[in-house]
């Protein structure tokens, strides 16, 4: 590893399984990948994503945090 890539690995320790494809996220949430694309396009839902070149990836912890933020109690306004 070069010095730059070592520094990145120390600051941003990602495993390949930490980055999910739109299809993986859509499957986990019971949505279509087109729904996720529409959300990104019109910013309807603030589900964070990462753009790596032309590819879209979702960080596992961002999806979990977003899902937790969507939890509502009975009778609570949306």
């Amino acid at each position: 590893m070069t010095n730059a890539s070592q520094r990145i690995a120390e600051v941003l320790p990602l495993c390949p399984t930490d980055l999910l494809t739109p299809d993986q996220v859509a499957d986990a949430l019971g949505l279509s990948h087109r729904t996720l694309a529409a959300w990104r396009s019109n910013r309807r839902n603030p589900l964070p994503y990462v753009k790596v070149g032309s590819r879209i990836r979702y960080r596992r912890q961002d999806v979990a945090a977003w899902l937790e933020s969507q939890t509502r109690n009975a009778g609570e306004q949306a």
Side-chain angles (χ1 to χ4, degrees), residues 12-38:
L12 190 65
L14 287 176
C15 296
T17 58
D18 290 337
L19 295 176
L20 305 171
T21 67
D23 285 335
Q24 289 172 313
V25 174
D27 286 345
L29 298 177
L31 303 170
S32 74
H33 70 275
R34 290 177 188 246
T35 297
L36 292 177

Side-chain angles (χ1 to χ4, degrees), residues 52-67:
V52 182
S54 63
R55 293 184 169 93
I56 300 295
R57 295 294 181 262
Y58 294 88
R59 292 187 313 165
R60 185 178 300 276
Q61 64 268 28
D62 288 343
V63 174
W66 175 84
L67 189 58

